[in-house]
Every structure is written in structure tokens, then in C-alpha cells.
Amino acid sequence: MSRILVAGGGVAGLVTAIALRHAGFQVAVFEAHPTGADGKGAFLTIMANGLDALRAIDAEHLVLDRSFPSTAVRMRNGHDRPLGELAIPSPDPEHGPRTMRRADLYRALAEEARRRGVEIQHGKRLVGVRHHGTVTAYFDDDTRIGGDLLVGADGVRSTTRTLIDPQAPQPEYTGWNLAMGAVRDVLPASRRDCYYMYFGRRATCGHITAPDGETWWFANVPCGERELAGATPAQLRQRLGDLFAGDQIGTVQAIRTTADDQLTATACYQLPTVPTWSGNGMTLVGDALHVASPSTTQGASMAIEDGVTLAKCLRDEPDLTAALHLYERLRRDRVERVVRTGFRKLGPRVPGPLQRLLRDRAVARRARNPEVDWLHLHHIDWDVSVTG
Ligand SMILES: Cc1cc2nc3c(=O)[nH]c(=O)nc-3n(C[C@H](O)[C@H](O)[C@H](O)COP(=O)(O)OP(=O)(O)OC[C@H]3O[C@@H](n4cnc5c(N)ncnc54)[C@H](O)[C@@H]3O)c2cc1C
């Protein structure tokens, strides 16, 4: 195989491109947006399994150099009383979860991909594909580009998924928007390697403070899918104020003082299973293939695992169809299990008093008995062949 096309230049597309280069392939990435990512209030945590997969392709430093450790989640109720503390599993203190700005990750991955010889073109939206032994990808600027395989890394609303299977399921709205923001020096200098997660009367929220004093917060807003889409920052702030009214929650102080240009809200989706992963010279990685609730904090890490595993399969199995079957065999159970984990975490949209009590007890129980080692301690050995 000589040339692989990747549609989508998010975490999944860029890591897949780097991994494919690491395996010796020629790669080109086509991203629909005219420019790179913007940084509006958005952050994310890469878990130990995501870091492990980056290490396999000598790219772990891209995260380590721009992030800080996030080792635990301190859970509290709306009265600011502790419910429990969850230590996020990691193989050792050096390689545990790390939190960083989303835009910093995109920028670092894009620079690294280019440095390793990946061609990246912006303003190219995939609209169609023709398969005739090789693939020709068609873009919305009336151009077409040929390759041996097209990897769809085009996110939740993947075009590639539908090109592979017109009957492919669409992601389901979870009933929540996730509001996020960043604000500097508002909260006391508490432990800085730790998430604070609050289970309030009507909703949940949380924050983490970076070593430089910037607090990054999130709030789960139960609402209609498009309800916050046109909200002004003032309306969004008001909505969040109402949601947490009467709760004694540290995060609320951060929400109140966040500047307009650092406030954002995104609808959250779940996609539990995609029956057909590959076909007609195409396959899928990242959110195009599986969408877990953000509460799993695994979307980016799973996307990284996908890209590295796919590259290994293509490197080790010369027959393309067999390589793509192998990729599915190695990944399907794991990614579907992660999405199911997230499904479990979604509570009723606005809990009543009894549901709140049961929820708080369940949270405390989970903190005492975390069952997540299968998830975070996953290891990919680049030097071991997947074909045995
Ligand atoms: C609010 C929020 C917070 C989150 N926090 C975390 C977290 O802390 N940790 C974590 O691991 N995960 C988190 N996630 C999930 C994580 O962000 C995603 O799982 C991850 O970004 C998936 O990466 P991706 O590259 O598959 O998709 P995306 O990041 O969506 O990238 C897809 C790219 O494809 C492009 N594209 C779309 N269509 C086309 C097309 N037709 N042609 C070409 N390009 C196209 C898009 O412009 C986009 O750049 C969060 C998600 C949300 C919504």
C-alpha cells in the first residue's frame, strides 16, 4: 500500500496519520475547517491508556510537555460535603492522566505530523468516495484525490461512516449539553493535580486548576439538543446560575466570573455500536466509530488507541481486507465496553430527592470500589506484531 488518505484533522485523524507514518506509510490529512482548532475555554484529559498509545509511536512528549498531572477526582455533594475520592488509575506516577488545553493538543499533533512528513490540507470536506480497487475521495471544493485506503476520522457526524454503510446508526443525543470555561485566579490555591466534581441538586459540575492558576471548569446542563446553541454568554451564565442556585459548589464562583469569550457549550452524544466498520476501501477511527459520554473522559484516549492499533494492523498484515478485519477484532469489544460505561453514568435529567440520595451513595460506593483497571492500564507494544 503506498498512500493513505485521512478525512478529519482532529485528535483521531492526526494521531492516525502520525502512527501510519511511524509504520512507514505515505499519509495525507484532509480537514474540513479552513484553519486549525480554536482554544475557547476547552480542555481535555488524556488518560494513562491514551498516553501509553502515544508512547508506542514516540509521541507521548507532545502531551507531557503541555499538560499537568490530574491524578484524582474529589467528589462532593451540593452541600460541599465529601462523597469520596477516586484515584485515577495509572501504571506509575510518571504516566498517569494529564490535563491540557484542547487547542494545544491539536497544534502539537499537527506540527508533529507535518514534521514527520504528513501532508495536511485544510478547507477540504469529504463528500463522496469511489472505490475501484483503490479509492478516489471527492471534496466539496470539486477536487478529487486518489489513494489505497481512506480512513474516516471525521467525528461524530462522520460522512465516511455513511459512505461505508448508508444504514449506519446516527449518534443519539444524551439529553445533556456540556458547558465549559476557563478563568484565572478565582479559586483558592487548593490541590492542583486533582479534579473537583460536584453532585448538585439539579446537575453536576466540576473543575481543575492548572499549576499556573487557571481554573478549567465544566457543567452538565440537562436541556434540549439545540437549546443552548444560540445562547449569548450572558444567557448561558444565567442558565448555569439557575441550575446551581442554592448549591454550595466551588465551581460556581469560577462559572460566574468567566469572561464571555471563554464560555462555551456543546451538545453531547453517544454512539454505542457501528455494525460495519470497514468497506469499499474505507475504515473508521475515533468519534466516527464510537462516541462515549464525556463523563468517561476517554474519547480522545480511545481515538489515539484506534489510530495506533490500525497502523500496526496495516503494517503487519499485507492483505488490506484482512488487516481491517484484524483491526476490528482487536478494537470492537473494548470500544463498545467504554461507551456502555458512559451510558451507565448518565443519571435522570434532573434528579428528585430520592434519586439524589441514591446517586450520592452510588458515587461514594464507586469511589471505594473503582472497576476501571481494564480501561486505563491497557498497553500497546509497538514492537510486537499483531499477527503473532
Ligand atoms: C465537551 C466535550 C468534552 C470532552 N472532554 C474530553 C476529555 O476530557 N477527554 C477525552 O478523552 N475526551 C473528551 N471528549 C471527547 C473527545 O473530545 C472526542 O472523543 C475526540 O475529540 C474525538 O476526536 P476525533 O478526532 O474522532 O473527532 P473530532 O475532534 O470531532 O475531529 C473530527 C474532525 O473531522 C473534521 N471533519 C468533519 N467532517 C469532515 C469531512 N466530511 N471531511 C473532512 N473533515 C471533516 C472536523 O472538522 C474535525 O476537525 C469531550 C467531548 C466533548 C463534546
Side-chain angles (χ1 to χ4, degrees):
M1 200 171 352
S2 56
R3 189 167 198 238
I4 300 178
L5 315 177
V6 178
V11 178
L14 293 169
V15 170
T16 301
I18 292 170
L20 288 168
R21 281 297 298 148
H22 203 65
F25 297 102
Q26 251 189 50
V27 193
V29 174
F30 303 98
E31 164 57 45
H33 276 179
T35 58
D38 82 51
K40 211 176 151 190
F43 61 95
L44 86 179
T45 299
I46 303 294
M47 294 298 185
N49 51 305
L51 272 188
D52 174 273
L54 285 174
R55 203 174 318 133
I57 53 169
D58 298 335
E60 186 186 28
H61 63 283
L62 301 175
V63 170
L64 293 182
D65 295 351
R66 296 161 179 83
S67 63
F68 60 92
S70 332
T71 57
V73 187
R74 286 184 172 175
M75 292 174 286
R76 307 178 79 84
N77 68 14
H79 302 289
D80 206 15
R81 292 200 194 102
L83 295 172
E85 178 162 332
L86 188 68
I88 307 175
S90 68
D92 58 67
E94 298 289 294
H95 301 105
R98 311 278 304 196
T99 298
M100 65 193 301
R101 284 188 190 83
R102 192 175 277 265
D104 287 349
L105 177 62
Y106 287 166
R107 212 170 292 124
L109 289 172
E111 278 170 19
E112 182 69 4
R114 285 201 175 94
R115 194 185 68 75
R116 295 196 194 192
V118 174
E119 175 196 344
I120 303 178
Q121 292 191 36
H122 284 270
K124 279 195 122 49
R125 178 175 294 278
L126 177 80
V127 291
V129 162
R130 200 162 73 85
H131 182 234
H132 37 88
T134 56
V135 285
T136 303
Y138 293 80
F139 296 92
D140 62 350
D141 58 357
D142 289 334
T143 55
R144 62 174 89 164
I145 294 163
D148 297 289
L149 171 70
L150 173 75
V151 181
D154 44 357
V156 178
R157 301 268 167 221
S158 172
T159 299
T160 316
R161 189 171 59 228
T162 314
L163 290 170
I164 292 174
D165 175 10
Q167 307 305 319
Q170 291 302 311
E172 299 162 25
Y173 177 56
T174 57
W176 304 85
N177 269 231
L178 193 67
M180 296 175 98
V183 64
R184 189 165 284 282
D185 299 326
V186 227
L187 294 177
S190 44
R191 249 181 82 184
R192 290 196 165 168
D193 60 348
C194 179
Y195 267 99
Y196 284 80
M197 172 101 198
Y198 292 93
F199 293 79
R201 264 196 274 187
R202 296 171 209 86
T204 54
C205 64
H207 67 266
I208 188 163
T209 301
D212 68 0
E214 190 164 73
T215 292
W216 299 338
W217 59 262
F218 64 89
N220 293 306
V221 186
C223 63
E225 184 175 357
R226 306 281 309 151
E227 211 175 316
L228 300 181
T232 63
Q235 287 165 336
L236 183 54
R237 210 177 283 106
Q238 176 69 46
R239 179 68 185 259
L240 293 168
D242 294 345
L243 198 57
F244 295 106
D247 285 333
Q248 292 157 36
I249 286 180
T251 310
V252 171
Q253 172 67 7
I255 295 173
R256 253 191 231 123
T257 43
T258 297
D260 286 1
D261 65 352
Q262 290 297 317
L263 262 175
T264 172
T266 318
C268 296
Y269 297 90
Q270 296 185 130
L271 179 62
T273 185
V274 170
T276 310
W277 281 33
S278 308
N280 294 328
M282 293 175 276
T283 193
L284 300 165
V285 289
D287 277 10
L289 189 57
H290 45 77
V291 186
S293 153
S295 65
T296 63
T297 333
Q298 275 289 343
S301 296
M302 282 291 153
I304 295 167
E305 285 186 15
D306 289 344
V308 175
T309 307
L310 175 63
K312 279 189 70 174
C313 292
L314 293 167
R315 176 196 68 183
D316 296 342
E317 173 52 69
D319 179 76
L320 177 59
T321 307
L324 296 180
H325 280 145
L326 188 56
Y327 166 58
E328 179 174 347
R329 188 155 60 73
L330 292 174
R331 295 296 295 155
R332 184 183 276 280
D333 285 352
R334 180 167 168 79
V335 301
E336 292 187 354
R337 190 172 172 193
V338 172
V339 181
R340 282 199 304 275
T341 309
F343 259 111
R344 264 213 319 265
K345 286 184 183 169
L346 288 180
R349 288 188 51 180
V350 177
L354 179 62
Q355 287 164 323
R356 268 202 312 270
L357 184 71
L358 294 174
R359 176 198 66 186
D360 291 358
R361 282 192 184 155
V363 167
R365 222 176 14 252
R366 209 171 56 235
R368 286 195 301 273
N369 308 300
E371 290 177 69
V372 280
D373 282 6
W374 66 271
L375 183 53
H376 298 93
L377 303 188
H378 182 262
H379 176 59
I380 299 178
D381 189 338
W382 183 258
D383 297 327
V384 172
S385 166
V386 283
T387 53

